[in-house]
Amino acid sequence: MNTDLQDYSHKRYNILTGEWVLVSPHRAKRPWQGQNEAVSNAVRPAYDASCYLCAGNTRINGEENPKYEDVFVFTNDFAALQTESKNFNVNDGLLIAQSEQGICKVICFSPDHSKSLADMDAKDIEKVVFAWQKEYAELGNNPLINYVQIFENKGAVMGCSNPHPHGQIWSQTTLPNEVDKKDQQQRAYYDKNKSSLLGDYIQQELTKQERIIFENDGFVVLVPFWAIWPFETMIVPKQQQQSISDLKGNDTFLFAEAISVITKAYDKLFNTSFPYSSGIHQAPTNGKDNSHWHWHMSFYPPLLRSATVKKFMVGYEMFGSPQRDITPEIAAQKLRELI
């Protein structure tokens, strides 16, 4: 391990976005007198009559959920994107805008209100993967949709308004900012090297074994060299695949196993139901040649040094660039020890 990276401030380059993150390992020992988050480890019931997402309950719009037994998907009652939005453009000097259309869905991972992905076994998580695949294919085949974003916000500190185990799928006409950056970076690398950017990256990581947390026959779970969040991780298929539609045979279970392993490790880290935002970045559904894409799933957890102390993206992070204290190598070591 390069000791300079563990002892001195430096910048690390994010190969997927073309941006830099400032790393300040010497600051990890500084005392904390700031905000402490409230921690709730209360055991939730398996069914909550007041929950809009529980099986058989009536949602705010008057629709009744079916008595679902595993995964349930429905169109978001408060969608951020509209399918019937008017098409328009604004080009008024430096005032530029354009209409955006899309479809937003909610996916309930389980009828059990008390669970999170960390509490589910890999076979049940695989059912969620199957649902993701179905929605990606169906939404992507809609001429209106050119990108499908699958994500989950877990925990109140991440803005999750309902503790029932669920995620969301926002699909839209154009590529969101983060996806557009990754599309350009991967395409440039593929055009130059005729190989996958992430494929070559994980081969280097597998050789070094400094940031690898877990691997099975199909996937690697690691802390990216350029990670921004303290315990940020990424799940990457070992073989290049453009999207989750490319998962075949046992691939879906191996992916589910990787999700199970990292979410369980998170909960053990600070002995709490670990909050995070997770998301899958994969090939656009725009009908173009996306052979440069290598899909991956990222987890961005905010907790820094305990269940009550979180990382804030403020000040320098807002006006300069992202910054982290604990190094990716130390974060990987801590998580690896919990598996």
Side-chain angles (χ1 to χ4, degrees), residues 286-335:
N286 51 14
K288 298 180 180 179
D289 179 8
N290 290 303
S291 54
H292 55 290
W293 262 90
H294 193 143
W295 76 269
H296 50 283
M297 182 176 191
S298 296
F299 289 80
Y300 300 155
L303 297 186
L304 176 59
R305 58 176 76 185
S306 72
T308 62
V309 177
K310 62 172 283 190
K311 164 71 176 177
F312 289 91
M313 288 293 182
V314 296
Y316 181 84
E317 289 91 347
M318 282 185 170
F319 297 101
S321 70
Q323 181 271 342
R324 64 178 292 136
D325 296 345
I326 179 176
T327 65
E329 294 74 33
I330 297 301
Q333 179 183 335
K334 289 178 179 292
L335 289 169

Side-chain angles (χ1 to χ4, degrees), residues 209-215 220-224 231-234 261-262 265-266 328 331-339:
Q209 288 291 323
E210 293 177 354
R211 287 163 292 275
I212 301 292
I213 299 169
F214 170 80
E215 65 173 301
V220 171
V221 183
L222 53 80
V223 177
F231 292 95
E232 176 180 334
T233 60
M234 184 165 62
V261 166
I262 188 55
Y266 276 152
Q333 179 183 335
K334 289 178 179 292
L335 289 169
R336 190 164 52 240
E337 290 170 352
L338 298 172
I339 296 174

Side-chain angles (χ1 to χ4, degrees), residues 26-237:
H26 55 288
R27 280 169 49 90
K29 297 179 181 179
R30 76 188 195 278
W32 181 259
Q33 293 181 308
Q35 177 172 313
N36 285 273
E37 304 298 323
V39 175
S40 174
N41 284 322
V43 178
R44 298 195 305 272
Y47 169 77
D48 184 343
S50 65
C51 173
Y52 293 122
L53 301 182
C54 277
N57 287 0
T58 301
R59 301 201 303 276
I60 194 69
N61 67 349
E63 292 188 27
E64 185 176 299
N65 298 330
K67 299 275 188 179
Y68 63 95
E69 298 181 354
D70 39 57
V71 181
F72 170 48
V73 182
F74 63 93
T75 300
N76 197 320
D77 300 325
F78 300 95
L81 292 158
Q82 303 165 302
T83 54
E84 304 302 326
S85 179
K86 176 185 175 183
N87 283 312
F88 64 88
N89 283 282
V90 174
N91 284 287
D92 181 9
L94 297 178
L95 309 180
I96 303 168
Q98 66 180 67
S99 59
E100 182 72 4
Q101 296 176 314
I103 301 168
C104 297
K105 293 193 174 185
V106 175
I107 172 169
C108 297
F109 301 149
S110 167
D112 191 330
H113 184 80
S114 69
K115 289 186 174 182
S116 69
L117 287 176
D119 303 312
M120 297 165 59
D121 61 37
K123 289 303 293 182
D124 285 332
I125 296 175
E126 186 179 25
K127 296 175 183 177
V128 177
V129 175
F130 290 146
W132 285 340
Q133 287 181 304
K134 180 176 181 291
E135 292 300 323
Y136 174 80
E138 291 183 357
L139 289 167
N141 284 331
N142 186 325
L144 177 72
I145 302 303
N146 289 305
Y147 189 73
V148 179
Q149 181 60 64
I150 296 167
F151 66 96
E152 177 195 4
N153 294 321
K154 179 192 174 191
V157 72
M158 299 309 294
C160 183
S161 59
N162 189 315
H164 192 100
H166 74 285
Q168 297 187 57
I169 304 172
W170 290 16
S171 58
Q172 61 190 97
T173 306
T174 64
L175 270 60
N177 295 343
E178 291 302 301
V179 178
D180 188 49
K181 286 184 282 190
K182 290 186 175 184
D183 183 63
Q184 294 182 44
Q185 290 291 110
Q186 290 184 95
R187 184 184 298 279
Y189 186 89
Y190 189 87
D191 289 346
K192 179 180 179 180
N193 299 283
K194 307 305 177 189
S195 60
S196 157
L197 174 61
L198 274 183
D200 290 350
Y201 166 69
I202 61 172
Q203 287 305 312
Q204 188 172 353
E205 288 285 26
L206 286 167
T207 299
K208 288 186 173 293
Q209 288 291 323
E210 293 177 354
R211 287 163 292 275
I212 301 292
I213 299 169
F214 170 80
E215 65 173 301
N216 56 27
D217 289 343
F219 292 85
V220 171
V221 183
L222 53 80
V223 177
F225 180 76
W226 55 83
I228 293 175
W229 295 95
F231 292 95
E232 176 180 334
T233 60
M234 184 165 62
I235 301 175
V236 191

